[in-house]
Amino acid sequence: MNRLAVFLPARNPMTAFPEVTKVQYEGPQSDNPLAFRWYNPEEMVAGKTMKDHLRFAVTYWHTFRGTGADPFGGGTMVRPWDDGSESVENACQRARAAFEFFEKLDVPYYAFHDRDVAPEGATLSESNANLDAVAEVLKAEQQRTGVKLLWGTANMFSNPRFMHGAATTCNVEVYAYAAAQVKKALEVTMALGGENYVFWGGREGYQCLYNTDMKRELDHLGRFFHMAVDYAKEIGFTGQFLIEPKPKEPTKHQYDSDAAACLNFLRTYDLTDHFKLNIETNHATLAGHEMMHELEYAGMQGALGSIDANTGDLLLGWDTDQFATNYYLTTQTMLVLLKYGLGSGGVNFDAKVRRESFEPIDLFHAHIGSMDAFARGLKVAAKIIEDRAIDKIVAQRYSSWDSDLGKKIESGNTSFAELESLMLDKGEAAANTSGRQEMLENIVNRYLDIA
Ligand code: XLS
Ligand code: NI
Ligand code: NI
């Protein structure tokens, strides 16, 4: 796996990242590529520290399990701490390297799938024992560093047994296996103090409607989530459950296709009290939405739980999971996050370095750049909100609704007949006013210049 390692300088085996000490804030003028220019954890913005607003998390799967493989070629990543084996020992060694990374990067959280952190065994009980063994190391490393678990989840899509899905499979025993796997992942998440538990719908969806009983699959999924809620109650897990919408990939239609579809599902199966959403940027764009749309849709219904921060590539139509560096995107994201708050959620970097960025140091460049982009977006958004620069224009735009007529309609105290007689009297509605889109876009640019 590490054939390329021979080209890199020798490393101290005790240190995974010898070339980096703790990443520090140096301010916007710094040209040090291993310093923060905007992320200043203790700096107060809108009444809270940046650290508390952003609650950054590193994803274990991309950052410590990503190999750089693509459909056209194998792995490229050089990871000197990783011997490439599927042993528990290697998993523990990898976990120590991961915590060295979290500590040096100064992120407060991480997130994992059960099978990222520990290898799958020959049987379920062997897999559980592997997970327990690695969880011991994770726990010790959490205590040593103070880094916390934002969320845990179960990988129920990689193993071939899940080819037809997990909670929506046609194979009842695979469903039972999935239930057992989530039960265990919940226990481990709780033991590690995880603040949330995520369900991303892996292979919950379909490739072909000819062979799919959609109603039955969705009923099974609803039942599955209720069992998860029941079990959490039973063991005293108080973390927030989150569903992560995505429209396609790996299946052509994922049931949790976007925020609206998820909320409709949760309402249908009487689960809205127990679940919020984990909104991912690249999933929003695959669904034909902007990130801001998905955040607003979830937020306005009190269901915004957390975000998977990444971005796609305009020219590629799949979930490329790139690190977000675009200030417009981070400003828009932070505008909505500041409006609704993140609760127990965070800004989780569900993003991977490109396969050409194969050296360990690239992991730092990727995270530092995106943390800075979100910190900058936070400052710009906070200033826009403080000055009511967008808000007051929106309020003005809807001001006709502040009239007696508007109040009557909004409070449900009128009827078609009354509205008809009003308009028959008037003959024509009041003149419209401009939407001022271009002016608003210019305002956002101005705040990017000054904030
Ligand atoms: C895949 C998802 C996945 C979830 C965790 O597209 O983003 O990584 O975040 O299962
Ligand atoms: Ni994700
Ligand atoms: Ni994704």
Side-chain angles (χ1 to χ4, degrees):
M1 184 196 181
N2 287 326
R3 269 176 300 128
L4 289 165
V6 291
F7 299 115
L8 291 174
R11 284 160 188 280
N12 173 353
M14 301 307 290
T15 319
F17 302 96
E19 60 276 71
V20 185
T21 49
K22 199 170 178 126
V23 180
Q24 307 281 351
Y25 171 73
E26 291 184 7
Q29 306 309 327
S30 173
D31 63 0
N32 175 1
L34 292 173
F36 295 121
R37 297 188 311 113
W38 294 100
Y39 181 59
N40 186 10
E42 300 306 326
E43 185 178 326
M44 297 295 287
V45 179
K48 265 202 313 206
T49 62
M50 281 195 176
K51 183 177 172 184
D52 287 347
H53 273 295
L54 293 163
R55 298 166 58 82
F56 285 130
V58 170
T59 60
Y60 207 93
W61 54 100
H62 287 312
T63 298
F64 287 92
R65 301 315 307 274
T67 62
D70 72 9
F72 302 93
T76 58
M77 296 297 155
V78 173
R79 302 292 182 244
W81 57 83
D82 193 318
D83 68 17
S85 76
E86 283 299 322
S87 69
V88 170
E89 204 189 346
N90 187 36
C92 294
Q93 178 61 20
R94 192 190 290 127
R96 292 188 193 96
F99 276 80
E100 183 188 328
F101 180 75
F102 306 154
E103 223 189 341
K104 289 184 168 174
L105 185 64
D106 199 16
V107 278
Y109 289 99
Y110 73 113
F112 66 73
H113 297 91
D114 49 0
R115 302 296 178 248
D116 308 329
V117 287
E120 182 143 15
T123 62
L124 179 60
S125 47
E126 218 178 284
S127 299
N128 288 347
N130 291 351
L131 186 52
D132 285 335
V134 181
E136 282 307 310
V137 176
L138 297 173
K139 192 167 193 173
E141 288 293 294
Q142 284 184 208
Q143 275 159 4
R144 183 182 68 75
T145 60
V147 174
K148 295 183 281 185
L149 178 61
L150 184 67
W151 49 265
T153 187
N155 175 331
M156 302 191 292
F157 45 89
S158 296
N159 190 293
R161 88 172 64 81
F162 297 118
M163 65 173 70
H164 298 296
T168 63
T169 173
C170 50
N171 179 339
V172 68
E173 290 201 357
V174 171
Y175 184 99
Y177 194 105
Q181 200 177 322
V182 170
K183 176 177 176 291
K184 181 69 186 174
L186 265 171
E187 290 162 8
V188 172
T189 298
M190 179 169 151
L192 295 174
E195 298 183 22
N196 305 271
Y197 184 89
V198 167
F199 288 95
W200 164 61
R203 294 178 192 274
E204 318 291 23
Y206 60 78
Q207 300 290 9
C208 170
L209 279 172
Y210 291 146
N211 68 11
T212 302
D213 186 336
M214 197 192 304
K215 171 78 165 68
R216 206 166 181 185
E217 293 198 358
L218 286 169
D219 286 350
H220 295 163
L221 185 59
R223 175 72 39 228
F224 196 91
F225 287 149
H226 273 288
M227 286 193 275
V229 169
D230 291 347
Y231 189 62
K233 220 172 274 166
E234 192 182 321
I235 61 175
F237 175 69
T238 53
Q240 177 65 50
F241 278 117
L242 299 167
I243 293 186
E244 183 177 321
K246 184 176 186 180
K248 55 190 166 198
E249 198 192 294
T251 70
K252 84 164 166 186
H253 176 85
Q254 302 275 123
Y255 288 135
D256 301 328
S257 46
D258 65 0
C262 287
L263 285 164
N264 181 54
F265 170 84
L266 291 171
R267 236 166 243 131
T268 305
Y269 291 94
D270 197 18
L271 286 159
T272 40
D273 289 349
H274 308 288
F275 283 79
K276 289 186 175 178
L277 303 181
N278 179 38
I279 304 291
E280 178 164 323
T281 326
N282 207 166
H283 298 179
T285 50
L286 287 177
H289 303 307
E290 290 181 335
M291 179 60 164
M292 212 178 170
H293 165 98
E294 287 291 84
L295 292 172
E296 182 63 40
Y297 199 95
M300 74 185 184
Q301 306 210 31
L304 179 52
S306 198
I307 73 163
D308 271 8
N310 62 17
T311 192
D313 184 310
L314 277 182
L315 302 183
L316 299 172
W318 64 91
D319 198 13
T320 58
D321 286 335
Q322 288 166 237
F323 282 85
T325 53
N326 181 317
Y327 289 154
Y328 290 107
L329 173 62
T330 58
T331 299
Q332 289 167 7
T333 301
M334 292 316 300
L335 276 171
V336 191
L337 294 190
L338 284 175
K339 183 165 162 191
Y340 295 110
L342 261 182
S344 62
V347 173
N348 174 49
F349 292 112
D350 193 355
K352 60 188 176 210
V353 289
R354 300 303 86 190
R355 81 193 288 275
E356 302 84 356
S357 308
F358 57 87
E359 296 179 7
I361 196 77
D362 291 306
L363 297 173
F364 277 96
H365 292 307
H367 285 85
I368 289 170
S370 212
M371 288 165 80
D372 265 346
F374 274 94
R376 176 109 170 86
L378 167 64
K379 291 186 86 162
V380 175
K383 188 85 180 103
I384 290 174
I385 292 170
E386 187 193 325
D387 292 354
R388 300 203 58 227
I390 290 180
D391 248 31
K392 59 185 180 215
I393 295 167
V394 176
Q396 180 59 33
R397 183 160 184 247
Y398 289 88
S399 58
S400 74
W401 284 89
D402 302 332
S403 63
D404 288 345
L405 176 61
K407 283 183 195 136
K408 232 174 165 187
I409 299 172
E410 286 186 345
S411 59
N413 286 316
T414 186
S415 65
F416 267 13
E418 194 183 357
L419 296 176
E420 180 196 46
S421 90
L422 177 75
M423 279 303 118
L424 286 172
D425 273 0
K426 292 215 160 195
E428 184 50 272
N432 278 311
T433 54
S434 165
R436 299 266 187 267
Q437 177 177 330
E438 296 77 5
M439 187 180 90
L440 283 156
E441 287 164 350
N442 297 347
I443 288 175
V444 171
N445 270 3
R446 186 162 65 79
Y447 277 86
L448 273 160
D449 292 339
I450 62 173

